[in-house]
Amino acid sequence: MLLAYSFVIGAFIGSFLNVVIHRIPVMLERQWKSECQELLTPDAEPSSLPKYNLSVPRSHCPACDHQIKAIENIPIISYLFLKGKCSNCGIKISAQYPCIELLTAVLTTVVIWKFGFSWQGLGGIILTWYLIALSGIDIKTQLLPDNLTLPLLWLGIVFNIFSTYTDLNSSVLGAIFGYLALWSVFHLFKLITGKEGMGYGDFKLLAALGAWLGWQSLPLIILLSSAVGAIFGIIMIVSKLQERSQPIPFGPYLAVAGWVAMLYGNQLISLYLDKTL
């Protein structure tokens, strides 16, 4: 029953994460434009845009403005029932929505199966939801917003006050070393090539993962994310899905590596040490 409830709750949270993935970049863009207007034309009247946040306006079809009814917003089921189309105008609905809902439901269930009804389970699903939202935003916009990465970092430290995943010292050092690890790579790459190889959001995401899982997990996360990123990058370039010169978001690979490290990090590290010692 616990796993069944986890699946259902995860599906509904996935529906909300779709809103987060779509709206937070728009909210940030509006904020940036407003700040630029205030800086460049301080005497001008501020533009009065309609209120826009995670709850306002209500979800609607972007083509015909049809307001989504509650019966049309049941995770996964409504998409299948509507055959992936708007009930009013018939325009195709992106498959992203049911995919995020199903992914969130499955990963939430896996976390609860692993940790059970515990503080580790609660922290695990919160971290999972954050990582899904950040990955979705990074894939679409190549942004990892501070209003998600920074609260995630502090949440990791708060959970580890009670040694939920690691001790507090390891958590704080994980945040520090996680940030500095990619920060150093960034500046070394820029010094050698004159180009920027990644964004500052990646530093903050690795710092957040270090805060949750401790500094001991950082080598595993960096290794796993680099390996997964290299494999997927080669596949996408060979299959002509992405140009060689086109930037590849690194956040999703960090998220995958961090999630795997949360569930199986100790076992993977022990397995590696057993084979090398």
Side-chain angles (χ1 to χ4, degrees):
M1 288 298 293
L2 178 61
L3 296 181
Y5 283 133
S6 300
F7 187 91
V8 173
I9 292 171
F12 277 97
I13 293 295
S15 181
F16 173 70
L17 294 183
N18 276 316
V19 176
V20 172
I21 291 168
H22 174 73
R23 295 196 181 194
I24 281 189
V26 177
M27 292 162 57
L28 289 174
E29 184 178 354
R30 288 187 172 206
Q31 179 185 340
W32 296 334
K33 286 182 178 179
S34 175
E35 291 172 352
C36 288
Q37 182 182 5
E38 290 178 8
L39 180 64
L40 296 174
T41 55
D43 297 328
E45 287 289 329
S47 57
S48 57
L49 294 173
K51 190 175 182 180
Y52 191 92
N53 53 41
L54 294 180
S55 58
V56 177
R58 288 184 58 183
S59 298
H60 60 277
C61 173
C64 67
D65 285 333
H66 167 68
Q67 196 169 89
I68 307 300
K69 301 175 183 176
I71 194 67
E72 298 171 339
N73 209 23
I74 301 173
I76 305 170
I77 296 174
S78 291
Y79 183 88
L80 297 175
F81 181 76
L82 295 170
K83 298 180 181 178
K85 298 179 181 179
C86 172
S87 63
N88 187 58
C89 67
I91 192 172
K92 189 176 180 181
I93 302 171
S94 172
Q96 169 199 313
Y97 296 99
C99 288
I100 292 292
E101 291 163 356
L102 181 60
L103 177 66
T104 309
V106 170
L107 296 189
T108 300
T109 306
V110 171
V111 170
I112 295 300
W113 171 76
K114 173 71 174 179
F115 295 120
F117 188 71
S118 64
W119 286 111
Q120 280 189 316
L122 175 62
I125 59 176
I126 291 174
L127 177 58
T128 300
W129 298 340
Y130 263 96
L131 293 178
I132 291 173
L134 285 164
S135 297
I137 293 172
D138 200 18
I139 290 170
K140 291 182 68 175
T141 65
Q142 295 190 1
L143 294 172
L144 290 170
D146 286 353
N147 55 1
L148 290 179
T149 54
L150 298 183
L152 182 62
L153 188 155
W154 288 110
L155 275 172
I157 293 175
V158 169
F159 266 90
N160 285 319
I161 289 174
F162 309 102
S163 299
T164 306
Y165 298 98
T166 187
D167 61 90
L168 183 58
N169 285 341
S170 296
S171 175
V172 173
L173 289 175
I176 295 170
F177 294 152
Y179 188 90
L180 290 178
L182 292 186
W183 180 89
S184 302
V185 172
F186 170 87
H187 283 284
L188 181 61
F189 183 83
K190 187 175 182 180
L191 181 65
I192 296 173
T193 66
K195 300 177 181 179
E196 295 184 356
M198 62 181 66
Y200 278 66
D202 296 317
F203 314 164
K204 297 165 190 173
L205 178 53
L206 185 58
L209 292 172
W212 278 84
L213 306 175
W215 65 267
Q216 300 89 340
S217 66
L218 292 175
L220 175 64
I221 293 172
I222 294 172
L223 180 63
L224 284 176
S225 59
S226 300
V228 174
I231 293 170
F232 273 91
I234 292 170
I235 291 173
M236 292 178 71
I237 291 172
V238 170
S239 59
K240 303 294 179 67
L241 294 175
Q242 181 148 345
E243 296 294 330
R244 188 184 298 271
S245 59
Q246 185 178 352
I248 298 175
F250 192 52
Y253 305 125
L254 283 172
V256 170
W259 192 80
V260 171
M262 174 183 67
L263 266 66
Y264 304 109
N266 292 333
Q267 293 92 317
L268 290 173
I269 293 172
S270 298
L271 181 64
Y272 174 77
L273 293 176
D274 290 342
K275 288 184 176 294
T276 54
L277 295 180

